[in-house]
Amino acid sequence: MQVDAATRERYSSCGLEEALTVEAGATVMKRDAATGLCMKFEGGLCGIVREHGEKYLGDACFFYPRIT
């Protein structure tokens, strides 16, 4: 999932930058090598939202799968 600038700033402000990486010049969520899912995806839920609340849900995740 691509991460917008506002979400990147929120994640950096609370120590979640380890969940991000840069691919082809865009900031994206790191993926688990075994599953291909976002690194923080745990038990069918986003671990970031579970720990920090919905305000940490990035635009790509918020709108998924309603837009492409």
Side-chain angles (χ1 to χ4, degrees), residues 4 10 13 16-17 21-23 26 34 38-39 44 49 52-53 55 66 68:
D4 58 280
R10 279 194 303 272
S13 72
L16 289 171
E17 58 273 345
T21 190
V22 176
E23 292 180 7
C38 292
M39 182 179 87
V49 174
H52 300 279
K55 70 179 181 176
R66 296 182 284 270
T68 57

Side-chain angles (χ1 to χ4, degrees), residues 6-43:
T7 302
R8 183 177 61 238
E9 289 299 317
R10 279 194 303 272
Y11 286 11
S12 293
S13 72
C14 70
L16 289 171
E17 58 273 345
E18 81 278 355
L20 305 175
T21 190
V22 176
E23 292 180 7
T27 303
V28 296
M29 297 293 295
K30 285 185 183 175
R31 287 176 284 195
D32 182 293
T35 65
L37 299 173
C38 292
M39 182 179 87
K40 288 289 192 173
F41 195 75
E42 304 162 353

